[in-house]
Structures are given as structure tokens and as C-alpha cells.
């Protein structure tokens, strides 16, 4: 049947055109719902799991020359469930009673580490400029046009069929089988489930194998839609599909299917009619140019903010969680006075020695690396405020830092303003954006807050940096956003040593401010909210006011750090420094080492900037063995090992929420305190 031309024909064509990408979003949304419903984990590593199966399928079929059915069997029905079983046994089995935020941080770490682990183990590298074949014969070359207005190829039909079949099969599993009921019970309370005679470990293993198989199938089916095969494409697609999963509140399979299809239809219809309207109404052209690429992120943010059901939904909690001990206090509060004095003296000695070595011996490269470590540590203090003190996960700290960097560039380029004054303006502007962002997401918490801030980060990345009054426009992004160094009287901070001093002074000042906040009213208020929001409200504490302040202060610190980083590199370097993926890695590093303390943020900054040259490039070992010629042949190691190691370190966050550094300090302090107290008792 051929429809009449006109509005309804264009509308129908847009709906048909949006169905294949909608099926893609639905496939990923179903995987999210399946994982969340069976494990309580909002699995941001879903894209990494999908990428592994897609890359394995490509290697087996296109490189080794195996038939498609064999490649599908190996990549989806062997490797994918094996990955799920390994993740469940090694990681998520130990995180069942952990908070949703802890699980989220672990999946962020896995999303960074898993692709690099596979690439290293399989000797695989990203594929670009080569069409990836689907699972059906001539999937991209045979078309069907049942309505006479839009042609579907076989790959698209396969995706739509699998999305529909997956919804029906999963719905039947949860509704009519004992295994489906057991999986939901294990999420609610594994301990109570085991009291009923159900093997929680076996049920959990089956759930993860099934969800990982679903991720593998989605990855293989989606691969032909890409012109390249890289983990970054899968992660971005996953973030888009979160909007579809959110329509089902992460628990409804039919709503996730309809949400994915609806998202595809909405984007396709929007892109069908907007160009024509923009030709007739010129004021719509900026919307066409800038809003279209960010439409999925706008939809996701709107769903989270405007749909009240999202805020009212409660995350599953274990009824027996009350028997768990409360989180331990900071080690510094329990140290023996003598140990505290020794720790401070040793810290001063260590910093003095390192400072003298850097000042007198470091070349240009190492001076730059140390300065970057200091500035990154300052930015990481923003995570200390929002996560360590506020107990919230913000995934847009890179955006706040970018606001500071872009403000310095704009003020210096357009108005010839002092870059130090511009840095303060950038910090204030970032604080204002952070406070405004916190207003619509105040009622959200845990996973939903993290998703909302991630949607904002991707919106800023897709739209705002392209405006000339923000990122300088496409020309500046291509040629560089030049930022000068500050000049104060006779002191020219164009000198690397002088700028290092400026960065250290800024870090010390911000560290003192953060410590005062933590020990003052704001810190105690946030601690009370972390303990019990209801109890805090009963004594007159305003959760809204405290969280607005936490967001604003955190954003201001990140904005100041971003401004200093732009001055240091004399360029904003947005894609390398502040892109959403980079900011996710920031969070992984900080929470893995310690987000509750200032020294944790400083050590995380040093690790981020110096781990690769010191450890992976062999500089430290070369200094120990007195010569690079004595290094083992496998040095230098690939920089990708930094992603693997720091990603795997994030898995310790749920076991040690205080961070590995704080955990080590507590263990050492306990032993030394015991020794000192025993010695005093004998005396």
C-alpha cells in the first residue's frame, strides 16, 4: 500500500525510519532492565560487554574466516555468558548488599577496563573504515519496502525481530518460571532467599550469564550500524538507550521496548520535519544545527526531571541490611597522638624532598607532569566534596572544569582580561551552573542522580562546546583555544617553575577550604544526611539547601581547576581534558584511592598524571636499577594498562568505600596504635 503524499506520508516515513534505531535502543534498554531486575546493578559496563562480543564476532568471522553461525556461537553463546559468569563470581557476588551507588562505580570501572583487557588478550585493535557484516546473509544489501515509503534491510529486520522476541521471552521468564521469581528474590535479599532453601549463588550466576548473553547479542546485531568498531561508540549508544530504560523505571520490559521504539520514532520525526520548518523560519536553524545531535540526552534529562515517578521509585534494599556495621570513621580521627605527629612530620619531609628534587632536577617534561598532577588533584577535590562529603555521584565534574577553562579562554580572547580574574569568574560561573543543575535533580538520588548528571555532561559535549560564546565554535575547537599564562607585576608565570608554585598555592588554599567545610557545619550536615535523611529533617536540617551548596562548591572547585589546567597547557584541549569519558575515568581514580579525604584526592591526582611515565614507562624502575638499559625488554608498557589497572581498582570501592589509601591507613594505624598503647601500658 502506498500512502498519499503530504504530512501523513512524511510522518509515516519518519516512524518507519525511526524503527530500526529504536530497535537498537530497545535491545540495549532490555539488557539494562534485565541486569537491574536480576542483580540490582545499573550496568554501565553493558556497552563494554557488547563491544567484546562484537569484536570477537568480527575477529572470528572476518579475520579467521569462520562461518557466521560459528562466529555467532563463539561470541554470543560462549564468550558472552562466560564473561557474565566471571564478573558475577569475581565481583558482583561480593556486592549484593552494597549500595546502588557502589555498584554503579564498579560498573564505571569495568566499562573502562573490560574493552582494554579484551583488546590486550585477543590482540585486537579498533576497526575503522570497514563495514561489519551482520548475522544474516546479505544483511546490508537486501532491502524490503512493504509500505512503499521506506526500505528495511535484513540487518534492521533482524534487530527488530530479536528485540520483540527478547521482550516476550524475558517477560515469560519472570512471569511463569520459578527461576524468574528466584532472581527477583535474590535482588531483594540474598540472605532471606537462602533461608528459604534457594541457592543464591547459582541463581545470581544464571542471571549474569543471561544478561551478558543478551549484551553479546545486542553488540553483534548493532555492529553493522557503525562505520568503525570501538568501545567508545558502544558506550555513547548505551547512554542514549538509558532514556528508553528509564521509561520503564529499569524494571518494566514492555515499557523498555516501547521506550526504545518511541525514542527512535521521536528523533526520526523530529529530524524529518525540522529541516523544512527551519527553511521557512530562519530562527529555527540554530535548533536544527545544535539540538539534533543532543536530542537523546535532552530526552533522557527531561524524563528524569519531569517524570515524577522516577523520583518516587525506591531502590531495592535488603531487609537484613540493618545488621551490617556502620561505615568506619576516618583513620585520622582514631590515630594515636604520637602517630599523628609522626605522620605530619613525615608528610612535610616527603613533600619538601620531592619539591626540592622537582625544583632543581626536573626537566621541562617532568615539570609539566608534576604541575598537571597538582592541578588534577585540585580538580579531584571537587569529587571529595560531592561524593566523599555529600555521598552523591556526579558524572559531570569534567563539564564544570571545562566551564572554567572556556571562561578563561573567552575572557582573555574577547576582553583581554587578566586570566587570574577570569579563573575566579570561571569558578563562580561553574558554581552557578552547578547550583542551577542541582535544582531540578534534588529529588533524585543514587543511580538516578548519576544518570541525570551524565546526561547533562553529554548534552554539554554535543551542543554547548560548539557555540562560539562557549567553546569558540568549530574553528576554535579545530585550531586550538589559546590561553595565556598569568602575569602579576614582575612575576611572569610563563615560567614553568613559577606556574608550579602558583598551582601548589591554589591546591593548598582549596585543600584548607575543603577541610574547613568537612569539619564545619556544612560537612556535619552532609554527614547527617548520609546517615539518615529523615532523622536529619526531624531536627531541622534542609536537605535541599545542603545539596545545593555541595553542588555549587564542588562545581566551583572543578571550574577553578579547569581554568588552571587551561593556563598550564595554554590551551583548553577540551576533548583530551574534559570530555565525559575522561571525567568518568576521574571518578574511577578518585573513589578507588579515596574520595573522603584531601590526601586521597592528592594521591589520586598524582597517580593519574604520573603513573604512566613513572611505572608503565619504567622511569622509577630505571632509577632504581641505575639505568634504562637495564630495564626488562617488555618496558615501556602500553598506556592502556593505566585504564585496565585503575578500572579494576574501582571494584574495591564497594568493599572499601573509604578508598584503598584510607583502608591502608586504617590498618596501619590500628597496628601502630596497639603497639604504642601496649608500650605505654608497660611504662
Amino acid at each position: 500500500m502506498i500512502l498519499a503524499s503530504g504530512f501523513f506520508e512524511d510522518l509515516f516515513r519518519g516512524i518507519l525510519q525511526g524503527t530500526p534505531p529504536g530497535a537498537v535502543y530497545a535491545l540495549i534498554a532490555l539488557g539494562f532492565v534485565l541486569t537491574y531486575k536480576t542483580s540490582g546493578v545499573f550496568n554501565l559496563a553493558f556497552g563494554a560487554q557488547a563491544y567484546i562480543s562484537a569484536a570477537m564476532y568480527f575477529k572470528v568471522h572476518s579475520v579467521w574466516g569462520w562461518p557466521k553461525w560459528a562466529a555467532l556461537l563463539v561470541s554470543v553463546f560462549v564468550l558472552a555468558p562466560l564473561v557474565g559468569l566471571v564478573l558475577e563470581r569475581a565481583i558482583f557476588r561480593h556486592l549484593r548488599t552494597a549500595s546502588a551507588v557502589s555498584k554503579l562505580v564498579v560498573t564505571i570501572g569495568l566499562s573502562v577496563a573490560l574493552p582494554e583487557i579484551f583488546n590486550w588478550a585477543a590482540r585486537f585493535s579498533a576497526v575503522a573504515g570497514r563495514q561489519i557484516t551482520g548475522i544474516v546473509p546479505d544483511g546490508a544489501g537486501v532491502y524490503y519496502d512493504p509500505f512503499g515509503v521506506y526500505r528495511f534491510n535484513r540487518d534492521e529486520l533482524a534487530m527488530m525481530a530479536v528485540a520483540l522476541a527478547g521482550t516476550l521471552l524475558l517477560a515469560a521468564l519472570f512471569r511463569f518460571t520459578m527461576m524468574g521469581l528466584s532472581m527477583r528474590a535474590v535482588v531483594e535479599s540474598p540472605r532471606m532467599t537462602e533461608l528459604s532453601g534457594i541457592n543464591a549463588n547459582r541463581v545470581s550466576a544464571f542471571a549474569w550469564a543471561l544478561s551478558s548473553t543478551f549484551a553479546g547479542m545486542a553488540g553483534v546485531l548493532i555492529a553493522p550500524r557503525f562505520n568503525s568498531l570501538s568501545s567508545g561508540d558502544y558506550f555513547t549508544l548505551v547512554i542514549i538507550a538509558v532514556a528508553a530504560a528509564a521509561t520503564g523505571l529499569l524494571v518494566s520490559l514492555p515499557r523498555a521496548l516501547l521506550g526504545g521504539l518511541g525514542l527512535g520514532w521521536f528523533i526520526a520525526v523530529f529530524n524529518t520535519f525540522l529541516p523544512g520548518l527551519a527553511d521557512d523560519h530562519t530562527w529555527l536553524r540554530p535548533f536544527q544545527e545544535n539540538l539534533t545531535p543532543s536530542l537523546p540526552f535532552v530526552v533522557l534529562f527531561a524524563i528524569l526531571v519531569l517524570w515524577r515517578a522516577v523520583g518516587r521509585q525506591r531502590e531495592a534494599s535488603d531487609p537484613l541490611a540493618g545488621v551490617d556495621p556502620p561505615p568506619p570513621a576516618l583513620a585520622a580521627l582514631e590515630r594515636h597522638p604520637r602517630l599523628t605527629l609522626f605522620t605530619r612530620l613525615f608528610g612535610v619531609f616527603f613533600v619538601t624532598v620531592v619539591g626540592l628534587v622537582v625544583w632543581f632536577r626536573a626537566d621541562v617534561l617532568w615539570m609539566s607532569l608534576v604541575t598537571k598532577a597538582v592541578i588534577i588533584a585540585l580538580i579531584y577535590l571537587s569529587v571529595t566534596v560531592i561524593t566523599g562529603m555529600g555521598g552523591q555521584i556526579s558524572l559531570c565534574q569534567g563539564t564544570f572544569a571545562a566551564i572554567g577553562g572556556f571562561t578563561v579562554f573567552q575572557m582573555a580572547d574577547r576582553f583581554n582580561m587578566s586570566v587570574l580574574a577570569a579563573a575566579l569568574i570561571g569558578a563562580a560561573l561553574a558554581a552557578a551552573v552547578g547550583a542551577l543543575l542541582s535544582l531540578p535533580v534534588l529529588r533524585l538520588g543514587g543511580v538516578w542522580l548519576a544518570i541525570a548528571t551524565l546526561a547533562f555532561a553529554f548534552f554539554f559535549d554535543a551542543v554547548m562546546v560548539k557555540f562560539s560564546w562557549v567553546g569558540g565554535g568549530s574553528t576554535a575547537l579545530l585550531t586550538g583555544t589559546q590561553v595565556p599564562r598569568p602575569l602579576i607585576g614582575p612575576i611572569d608565570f610563563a615560567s614553568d617553575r613559577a606556574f608550579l608554585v602558583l598551582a601548589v598555592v591554589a591546591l593548598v588554599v582549596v585543600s584548607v577550604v575543603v577541610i574547613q567545610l568537612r569539619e564545619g557545619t556544612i560537612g556535619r550536615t552532609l554527614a547527617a544526611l548520609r546517615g539518615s535523611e529523615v532523622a536529619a529533617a526531624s531536627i531541622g536540617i534542609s536537605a535541599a539547601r545542603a545539596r545545593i551548596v555541595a553542588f555549587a562548591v564542588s562545581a566551583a572547585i572543578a571550574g577553578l581547576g579547569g581554568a588552571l589546567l587551561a593556563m598550564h597547557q595554554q590551551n583548553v584541549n577540551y576533548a583530551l581534558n574534559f570530555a565525559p569519558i575522561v571525567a568518568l575515568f576521574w571518578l574511577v581514580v578518585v573513589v578507588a584511592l579515596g574520595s573522603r579525604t584531601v590526601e586521597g584526592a592528592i594521591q589520586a591526582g598524582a597517580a593519574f598524571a604520573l603513573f604512566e611515565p613513572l611505572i608503565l614507562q619504567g622511569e622509577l624502575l630505571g632509577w632504581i636499577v641505575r639505568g634504562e638499559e637495564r630495564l626488562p625488554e617488555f618496558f615501556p608498557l602500553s598506556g592502556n594498562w593505566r585504564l585496565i589497572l585503575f578500572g579494576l581498582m574501582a571494584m574495591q570501592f564497594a568493599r572499601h568505600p573509604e578508598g584503598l589509601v584510607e583502608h591502608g591507613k586504617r590498618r596501619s594505624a590500628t597496628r601502630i596504635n596497639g603497639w604504642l598503647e601496649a608500650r605505654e601500658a608497660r611504662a
Side-chain angles (χ1 to χ4, degrees), residues 125-144:
S125 57
V127 178
R130 182 174 177 180
Q131 184 68 35
I132 301 170
T133 59
I135 63 174
V136 294
D138 296 322
V142 178
Y143 291 86
Y144 301 93

Side-chain angles (χ1 to χ4, degrees), residues 400-614:
F400 296 141
I403 291 173
F406 281 135
T407 301
V408 170
F409 159 68
Q410 293 286 358
M411 293 297 178
D413 183 65
R414 293 173 181 264
F415 307 108
N416 199 27
M417 180 182 290
S418 165
V419 288
L420 287 180
L424 296 179
I425 294 176
L429 182 59
V433 173
L436 290 174
L437 175 64
S438 68
L439 293 176
V441 301
L442 279 176
R443 62 183 179 83
L444 303 176
V447 168
W448 296 112
L449 176 62
I451 298 172
T453 54
L454 187 60
F456 174 75
F458 272 91
F459 168 77
F460 185 88
D461 177 74
V463 177
M464 299 306 296
V465 296
K466 297 177 183 178
F467 285 108
S468 60
W469 49 274
V470 177
S474 58
T475 303
L477 290 175
L478 292 174
T479 61
T481 47
Q482 298 298 320
V483 178
R485 290 276 183 90
L487 176 65
I488 303 178
I491 305 176
D492 186 359
F493 288 98
S495 165
D496 290 336
R497 283 179 170 78
F499 194 83
L500 174 59
V501 173
L502 176 64
V504 170
V505 170
L507 176 62
V508 171
V509 171
V510 174
S511 298
V512 172
V513 170
V514 171
I515 292 173
Q516 293 300 316
L517 287 174
R518 187 181 65 195
E519 302 300 328
T521 303
I522 295 176
R524 296 180 186 277
T525 299
L526 294 173
L529 291 172
R530 288 201 314 270
S532 173
E533 188 168 326
V534 175
S538 68
I539 59 174
I541 293 178
S542 172
R545 185 185 303 116
R547 285 174 178 160
I548 291 174
V549 171
F551 258 95
V553 172
S554 172
I557 294 174
L560 178 62
L564 288 173
L565 187 59
M567 284 185 250
H568 166 57
Q569 298 180 350
Q570 296 183 285
N571 200 305
V572 176
N573 288 328
Y574 171 79
L576 294 177
N577 291 330
F578 308 119
I581 303 296
V582 177
L584 284 177
F585 190 63
W586 286 357
L587 180 70
V588 168
V589 176
V590 178
V591 300
L593 294 180
S595 62
R596 296 177 60 188
T597 61
V598 169
E599 55 266 36
I602 294 175
Q603 289 159 347
F608 180 86
L610 303 177
F611 182 80
E612 182 174 345
L614 278 178

Side-chain angles (χ1 to χ4, degrees), residues 98-106 315 387 391-393 445-447 450 653:
S99 67
V101 172
S102 299
K103 296 174 183 177
L104 177 66
V105 171
V106 172
E315 297 170 351
T387 301
Q392 304 289 330
I393 294 293
V447 168
F653 177 71

Side-chain angles (χ1 to χ4, degrees), residues 359-411:
W359 186 265
F360 291 106
R361 300 291 302 275
D363 57 16
V364 174
L365 174 62
W366 279 99
M367 186 70 66
S368 176
L369 289 173
V370 172
T371 305
K372 181 179 179 180
V374 171
I375 297 173
I376 292 294
L378 191 154
I379 297 176
Y380 285 176
L381 287 174
S382 69
V383 182
T384 301
V385 172
I386 193 66
T387 301
M389 293 168 51
Q392 304 289 330
I393 294 293
S394 170
L395 301 182
C396 62
Q397 297 305 108
T399 301
F400 296 141
I403 291 173
F406 281 135
T407 301
V408 170
F409 159 68
Q410 293 286 358
M411 293 297 178

Side-chain angles (χ1 to χ4, degrees), residues 145-230:
D145 191 358
F147 303 104
V149 293
Y150 182 79
R151 300 189 305 164
F152 298 99
N153 63 36
R154 287 181 174 178
D155 286 334
E156 293 173 337
L157 293 175
M159 282 188 294
M160 291 185 283
V162 171
L164 179 60
T167 304
L168 296 176
L169 291 175
L170 293 177
L173 173 68
F174 288 117
R175 186 175 181 84
F176 301 113
T177 68
M178 186 63 187
M179 179 58 74
L181 179 62
S182 300
M183 286 191 291
R184 286 183 290 166
V186 169
V187 175
E188 292 289 338
S189 176
R191 288 174 285 199
M192 291 187 69
T193 303
E194 290 181 339
L195 293 177
S196 301
I198 297 175
N199 189 327
N201 291 337
R202 185 178 304 167
V203 172
S204 180
F206 175 80
W208 271 98
L210 179 62
S211 64
S212 188
T213 302
F214 209 91
M217 178 60 75
V220 171
L221 288 173
I222 294 168
R225 297 189 63 87
F226 295 130
N227 293 324
S228 62
L229 184 59
S230 65

Side-chain angles (χ1 to χ4, degrees), residues 283-339:
W283 60 273
L284 288 175
R285 289 178 183 174
F287 290 92
Q288 178 190 358
E289 297 172 357
N290 297 303
L291 185 59
T292 300
S294 69
L295 200 57
F297 312 122
V298 174
V299 171
L300 173 58
F301 191 81
I303 289 174
L304 297 178
V305 172
L306 301 178
W307 194 14
R308 307 302 298 180
V310 173
R312 292 194 298 266
Q313 188 197 26
R314 292 185 178 181
E315 297 170 351
S317 59
D318 189 351
L320 297 181
V323 303
D324 295 332
L330 294 177
L333 302 177
E334 300 176 349
R335 284 192 306 225
H336 192 280
R338 292 185 180 179
L339 179 59

Side-chain angles (χ1 to χ4, degrees), residues 18-63:
T19 301
V24 172
Y25 304 145
L27 275 172
I28 301 175
L30 290 173
F32 269 114
V33 172
L34 174 61
T35 307
Y36 190 80
K37 201 168 185 176
T38 59
S39 64
V41 176
F42 185 79
N43 188 17
L44 279 180
F46 187 91
Q49 293 174 261
Y51 165 78
I52 289 175
S53 289
M56 191 66 189
Y57 176 84
F58 175 83
K59 190 175 183 67
V60 173
H61 174 60
S62 300
V63 179

